[in-house]
């Protein structure tokens, strides 16, 4: 054998470096390294709960925290602007990473002022403020600037808006509003705010106390269903403001629905409403609830993340709680409404008109949960592929992994994904759940298209970027496809975990890295495919 025949620039095993910019990933393959700004956005969007297939949660968290710390010192403006952008746009299914990063930034002198000024925009609810308070104590003490920022969180609100926050979100993570007020010592000339602070700290009611707090206190003292229902209607109480005993009463939920249940809360309470017999296929409150679930304006204004709807749909359709022992018989109309809501949570997408191959990495490393939620990376990828299939007339989808010992795509488990937007979400996810899980070779979609002579303008690969199993790197496989087909094909890589690697060559203008699966992702993909 001529060993020199094994070396070259066009074809390199993924276990070897094909470019000086590549580094060894956790799986033993070489991939390109993201810059800090891209890594930060992945962390804020995807989080680190549960870690990855190759990295424990704490290890992954530490790596991402180092990125936050580095940017806090070197580029605080980009750090804080990115935190605010991801949080305000609702790009992440959970706010914990953004609050953690803001707390870290609040402890670094170069970024402290910017971070504290951004606190009201990132911590928009009482629960989020408690999470921030818990995180910030991991990095610093309660100096004057932090006390002033937290105090402003309270004093900058109208009394009625603050009353809503303090009775709906009363405590979390070992923190309460009383704790924060005693630390921050906010000062105000508003009688209503001062009365609200007095009730929080001492539990006393006065003439200036907002009526919502009075209604909350009365609800806690009440013992009759009729009293709870009346107080809900009079004071527009939410379900979190009621004692546990009230939440098992149909009349109380009728009152709550009459005054309006917020979109996210409504999705979470669907199992309870079903068990109470309020969502039958005919009659009840079903049609009204269905109309609210599919309302695109409500979804947008509530910043409902598509993956949260996906989790709600799959959980509700299963008839069994993911974390508890609760069971129910799902309503067909409600299940279908959650399907519709999932697609409507995405922005209006104009088809690219390009020939698109959607490739879902179904390898073993994609079996990890997303953001600590009861859904895996490969299931979330499949759901996102469904959205592209629904809007792109010339798209097809495949799932890919390698078989043990595989050295070519002929021996791989690359197969058409028999999914369709006309299927129910939970049915489509079962298709990918049934596919085999092997090694990761992200070159397979391009190699397959080359060998089969497929005409593809845009490859979209949903992956964790932990590729290692192939005898050619993905960017080399794309270059070979371009040479062989004569098509200037593009590659979009949708990262599904908060690692620091990508299969996309950052110097190739025909490759794009995308993070996560928020409502803007499908539009971003089609715009790139169209050359915008």
């Amino acid at each position: 054998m001529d060993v020199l025949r094994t070396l070259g620039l066009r074809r390199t095993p993924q276990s070897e470096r094909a470019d000086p910019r590549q580094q060894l990933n956790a799986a033993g393959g070489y991939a390109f390294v993201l810059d800090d700004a891209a890594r930060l956005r992945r962390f804020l969007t995807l989080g680190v709960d549960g870690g990855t297939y190759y990295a424990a949660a704490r290890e992954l968290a530490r790596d991402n925290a180092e990125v936050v710390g580095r940017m806090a010192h070197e580029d605080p403006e980009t750090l804080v602007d990115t935190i605010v952008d991801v949080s305000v746009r609702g790009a992440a299914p959970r706010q914990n990473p953004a609050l953690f990063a803001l707390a870290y930034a609040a402890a670094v002198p170069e970024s402290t002022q910017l971070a504290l000024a951004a606190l009201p925009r990132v911590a928009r609810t009482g629960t989020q403020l408690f999470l921030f308070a818990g995180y910030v104590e991991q990095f610093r003490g309660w100096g004057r600037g932090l006390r002033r920022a937290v105090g402003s969180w309270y004093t900058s609100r109208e009394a009625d808006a603050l009353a809503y926050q303090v009775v709906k979100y009363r405590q979390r993570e070992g923190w309460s509003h009383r704790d924060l007020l005693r630390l921050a010592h906010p000062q105000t000339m508003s009688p209503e705010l001062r009365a609200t602070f007095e009730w929080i700290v001492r539990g006393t009611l006065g003439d200036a106390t907002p009526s919502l707090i009075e209604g909350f206190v009365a609800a806690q003292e009440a013992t009759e269903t009729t009293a709870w229902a009346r107080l809900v209607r009079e004071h527009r109480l939410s379900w979190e403001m009621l004692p546990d005993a009230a939440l098992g009463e149909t009349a109380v939920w009728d009152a709550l629905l009459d005054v309006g249940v917020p979109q996210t809360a409504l999705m979470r309470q669907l199992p309870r409403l079903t068990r109470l017999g309020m969502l039958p296929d005919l009659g009840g409150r079903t049609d009204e609830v269905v109309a609210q679930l599919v309302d695109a304006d409500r979804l947008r204004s509530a910043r409902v993340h598509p993956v949260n709807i996906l989790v709600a749909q799959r959980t509700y359709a299963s008839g069994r709680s993911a974390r508890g022992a609760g069971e129910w018989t799902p309503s067909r109309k409600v299940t279908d409404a959650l399907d519709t809501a999932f697609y409507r949570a995405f922005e209006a997408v104009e088809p690219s008109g390009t020939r698109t191959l959607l490739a879902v990495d179904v390898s073993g490393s994609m079996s990890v949960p997303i953001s600590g939620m009861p859904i895996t990376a490969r299931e979330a990828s499949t759901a996102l592929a469904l959205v592209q299939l629904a809007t792109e007339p010339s798209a097809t989808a495949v799932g890919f992994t390698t078989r043990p010992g595989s050295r070519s795509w002929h021996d791989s488990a690359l197969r058409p994904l028999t999914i369709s937007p006309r299927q129910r979400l939970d049915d489509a996810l079962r298709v990918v759940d049934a596919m085999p899980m092997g090694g990761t070779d992200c070159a397979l979609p391009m190699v397959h298209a080359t060998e089969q002579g497929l005409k593809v303008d845009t490859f979209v690969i949903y992956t964790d970027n932990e590729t290692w199993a192939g005898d050619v790197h993905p960017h080399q496989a794309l270059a070979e496809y371009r040479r062989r087909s004569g098509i200037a094909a593009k590659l979009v890589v949708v990262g599904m975990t908060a690692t620091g690697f990508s299969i996309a060559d950052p110097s190739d203008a025909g490759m794009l890295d995308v993070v996560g699966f928020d409502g803007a992702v499908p539009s971003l993909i089609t715009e790139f495919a169209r050359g915008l």
Side-chain angles (χ1 to χ4, degrees), residues 283-301:
R285 305 295 294 261
T286 306
D287 290 344
E288 173 188 347
V289 167
V290 163
Q292 292 180 23
L293 289 173
V294 301
D295 189 320
D297 290 335
R298 281 174 59 96
L299 290 164
R300 280 192 294 271
S301 63

Side-chain angles (χ1 to χ4, degrees), residues 167 170 199 211-220 237 240-241:
V167 297
R170 298 188 290 281
W199 176 76
S211 64
L212 182 63
I213 293 177
E214 294 177 346
F216 166 77
V217 172
Q220 300 303 305
L237 301 179
E240 297 96 336
M241 304 172 191

Side-chain angles (χ1 to χ4, degrees), residues 295-480:
D295 189 320
D297 290 335
R298 281 174 59 96
L299 290 164
R300 280 192 294 271
S301 63
R303 296 187 179 93
V304 181
H305 195 284
V307 79
N308 289 322
I309 304 175
L310 181 62
V311 170
Q313 192 278 343
R314 196 178 67 165
T315 301
Y316 183 81
S318 73
R320 185 186 299 270
S321 172
R323 292 190 171 95
E327 295 185 0
W328 58 90
T329 301
S331 161
R332 176 185 55 80
K333 286 186 176 180
V334 172
T335 303
D336 291 344
L338 288 169
D339 259 49
T340 302
F342 173 74
Y343 291 102
R344 290 188 179 174
F346 292 93
E347 297 176 358
V349 181
E350 183 177 346
S352 69
T354 65
R355 297 162 294 190
T356 304
L357 180 63
L358 307 169
V360 177
D361 177 358
V362 296
S363 64
S365 62
M366 288 283 283
S367 62
V368 295
I370 285 285
S371 299
M373 306 177 78
I375 187 166
T376 66
R378 71 180 197 161
E379 289 170 333
S381 300
T382 303
L384 193 54
L386 281 169
V387 177
Q388 297 291 156
L389 287 171
T391 57
E392 202 64 72
S394 299
T396 188
V398 297
F400 69 91
T401 184
T402 66
R403 298 190 188 279
S406 169
R407 300 307 299 172
S408 76
W409 79 266
H410 298 283
D411 301 322
S412 72
L414 188 148
R415 298 287 184 274
L417 267 182
T418 55
I419 56 174
S420 164
R422 290 182 292 277
Q423 290 175 277
R424 245 176 42 181
L425 285 169
D426 51 311
D427 291 334
L429 295 187
R430 277 193 283 271
V431 172
V432 73
D433 284 340
M435 295 191 72
M437 290 189 289
T440 308
D441 179 3
C442 288
L444 281 173
M446 283 75 72
V447 173
H448 170 69
T450 301
E451 296 293 333
Q452 294 297 299
L454 303 181
K455 302 298 183 183
V456 179
D457 299 305
T458 308
F459 294 90
V460 182
I461 299 181
Y462 308 88
T463 180
D464 59 0
N465 290 284
E466 298 285 13
T467 191
W468 60 272
D471 57 5
V472 60
H473 282 256
H475 71 284
Q476 294 175 325
L478 179 64
E480 178 66 15

Side-chain angles (χ1 to χ4, degrees), residues 28 39 62 112 126 250 267 367 414 479-480:
R39 181 75 186 270
R62 185 180 62 247
T112 296
T250 301
M267 290 193 303
S367 62
L414 188 148
E480 178 66 15

Side-chain angles (χ1 to χ4, degrees), residues 134-177:
Y135 286 137
V136 82
E137 282 202 332
Q138 298 170 202
F139 300 104
R140 57 166 291 172
W142 284 80
R144 180 184 304 173
L146 179 58
R147 292 198 304 269
R148 185 166 54 246
V150 172
S152 296
W153 190 93
Y154 289 94
T155 58
S156 63
R157 283 169 163 74
E158 296 292 334
D160 288 342
L162 180 61
Y164 182 85
Q165 291 294 321
V166 300
V167 297
K168 182 176 182 178
Y169 309 105
R170 298 188 290 281
Q171 58 185 12
R172 178 80 182 271
E173 304 291 331
W175 289 90
S176 69
H177 291 289

Side-chain angles (χ1 to χ4, degrees), residues 102 115-125 149 152-153 156-157:
L102 192 71
L116 293 179
L119 178 61
R121 300 184 67 191
V122 181
R124 295 179 295 275
T125 69
S152 296
W153 190 93
S156 63
R157 283 169 163 74

